[in-house]
Amino acid sequence: MSNQFDPIKEKIENLKQLLTQWEYQYYVLNSPTVSDFEYDETLKQLIALEKQYPRLVTPDSPTQRVGGKASSKLAKITHQTKMMSLANAFSYNELRKFDNSIKKESGLNEIEYCLEPKIDGLSVSLKYENGFLKTAATRGDGLIGEDITNNARTIKTLPIKIAYKEPIEIRGEVFLTKKNFAKINAQILDKDKKFSNCRNAASGSLRQLDPKITAKRNLSLLVYQIINKNEEDKIKQQSGIIEFLKLLKFKVAHEIKVCLGIEEVINQIEKFNVIKNTLDYPIDGVVIKVNQLDLYKTLGQTSKFPKWAIAYKFAPAIVTTKLKQIIATVGRTGRITYVAKLQPVELDGSIVSAATLHNAQYIVAKDIRVNDWVKVFKAGEIIPKIIGPVVEKRTEKLAKFIPFEKCPICGSKLEKIGDDVDQYCINNDCKARSLQAIIHYVSRDCMNIEGLSIKIIEKLWDHNLLKSITDLYELKNKKQEIINANLHIKDKMFDKLILAIENSKKQNLSNLIFALGIRHVGSVIAKKLAQIYQNMSNLMKVNFEQLMATKDVGETIAKSIVNFFANTNNINLINKLISFGVNMSFLTTSNFEKDSIYYKKCFCITGSFDIPRNEIKMRLEQKYDATVVNSITNSVDYLIANDFSSTKYKKAIANNIKIITEKIW
Ligand code: AMP
Ligand code: ZN
């Protein structure tokens, strides 16, 4: 280890990277991978460290900004007054501290507070002019939000017209009732596609491009704030604002309470804690606001939140258990994912025996060690997470976690690629990788070998009948062996499989390039390469500079392609495929509808239609020279949708991808 190594700096860097990634997933992608609780916990750690080491605070730290960036494709609305977040408290002592600072700043002996449920939805700003709803916007990054006016209008608890003529900006929370959330999730049959929490579902529903769909989701709104109240206005208290909003026929929370002094607030929170699960809307805490509005100016605000309010967050169910083992799993691209094996323990009604640890950096940042007692929690989300080790409970001297150096399956050295936080097994012969590689090769967007399910592939693998991609094309010679192997593959089924495998030889070059599993080469890039180079032998000869000159191909992709074709194993694979008669050329028809807006566009499909998706894919390719991919990425132009609750649909909406519901094929 060099002298320059600074463990604190490293730790801060790790935390910042984690938080930045989570913020991006939460705010920009709309698909959080950690719960608010875990985010808050980690942020607290960072705040504490930065407080202790102020010289290590950098402008890019998540502590230095509000929220994430506004989505780039929705119409933007600039907030006249910043939409702020709220300071958090997790203990009553933090509330007492908050109370003391308010007393000090205001010079008052006792403060009156207004207590409101903290609804777990999305904050919105509603502007009314001449009594009519003019615009509705999401918070976005606090300064610029997204225009969701048309969608907001569909919310039945939102009055389109109010009995107040002056321009007024009202803020509140859009959410789904627990009942509606359950209903929406119940309609989604695929387990993996269900919304992971209520807030997510509300967000996906509000940020639709088609208000008709939003309307079907039955969103709700509760309001709690007026921004530009006239100076001469008679309302002097937050509780008065709530009353006034009620008069304007907005819905406000029933449970709002005015309390004198912080101890009464705490008392009230205790009561709230008892009834919180009986409420029909999702709450993750209580908001405590200074009731006297004229104190707001005196108290002021930080860059992130007002100083006259604080959110008390309820603690999620937490259990402590022993971490027995840290294992690593290997994906198709060789990426390593760490998993914690736990001593089974009951949590929120189910038995938990494993939790995800993401990557080595995550484990190191949290200093989690094998045989540690760890705190495990579930907060809204379905997958359990580890908060961190209980350091006081470390009895023996436990060894610090050291990232695995070797692949758990094949033993070859793991590598980091570029500045990716993940580790990879780069051995092409790795069992885990090659099994995954076969699964990828036969999949729909690749060689599309129908009937060859993951289960069958695994069975064939276990019987040593299918160990590599090239083995696929030799299966036809193993009919008796396969039928005798008791794999539940009968005569007819075997013939069907072989036919599908034989047919796959005619697949287009673009499919084959994608099927080869070249790292960073997705189906869109594969198609581009096929169009440009026309056949495999041209592509194999291409050099780094030529690739770099190709549109949409950056350094990472170019390097990856060059490396792929520099590997003799890959060359052997391609030569073998050629000997089996697999097509190596790009096939085009010249009858494309070149004037269509869909010409050469990239599509994704969700839901089922009157003809199979493969057929739709083929027709789109033939009609528009289109690319059809299986997941929503930046390259997708259109999502053809018939399932409005799928993950693809949600992602498309979040990324402003156009939705098509007509049969354009
Ligand atoms: P957070 O996002 O955890 O920082 O909490 C701040 C958010 O809480 C605000 O932006 C609002 O969206 C939300 N919130 C929910 N209920 C209330 C309430 N009664 N008063 C203020 N903010 C609330
Ligand atoms: Zn390996």
Side-chain angles (χ1 to χ4, degrees), residues 443-484:
S443 68
R444 196 169 52 199
D445 293 325
C446 295
M447 302 305 269
N448 190 21
I449 302 178
E450 264 182 85
L452 208 50
S453 66
I454 295 178
K455 259 207 184 119
I456 295 181
I457 294 171
E458 280 173 347
K459 278 187 198 162
L460 291 169
W461 174 280
D462 291 339
H463 282 78
N464 285 324
L465 292 160
L466 178 58
K467 289 285 181 189
S468 67
I469 287 170
T470 51
D471 286 348
L472 280 169
Y473 298 103
E474 312 222 47
L475 285 178
K476 63 179 175 194
N477 306 324
K478 298 179 183 164
K479 184 166 182 171
Q480 268 327 306
E481 253 174 284
I482 290 173
I483 290 175
N484 294 343

Side-chain angles (χ1 to χ4, degrees), residues 84-86 116-119 123 139 173 224 289 313:
M84 308 213 95
S85 183
L86 289 170
E116 303 171 16
K118 185 172 186 297
I119 303 128
S123 48
R139 177 162 82 181
E173 200 82 357
Y224 45 71
K289 296 175 183 170
K313 296 249 181 120

Side-chain angles (χ1 to χ4, degrees), residues 26-27 36 39-40 66 83-88 114-124 139 171-174 199 222-225 238 242 253 256 282-289 304-306 308-311 313:
Y26 186 93
Y27 288 105
D36 290 356
Y39 175 87
D40 292 338
V66 181
M83 287 185 84
M84 308 213 95
S85 183
L86 289 170
N88 285 323
C114 182
L115 230 73
E116 303 171 16
K118 185 172 186 297
I119 303 128
D120 199 10
L122 299 84
S123 48
V124 289
R139 177 162 82 181
R171 290 185 184 167
E173 200 82 357
V174 169
R199 196 209 78 91
L222 282 176
V223 295
Y224 45 71
Q225 195 181 7
Q238 168 62 12
I242 300 284
I256 289 169
I283 57 171
D284 60 345
V286 179
V287 186
I288 298 122
K289 296 175 183 170
K304 220 174 162 173
F305 35 74
W308 41 263
I310 195 162
K313 296 249 181 120

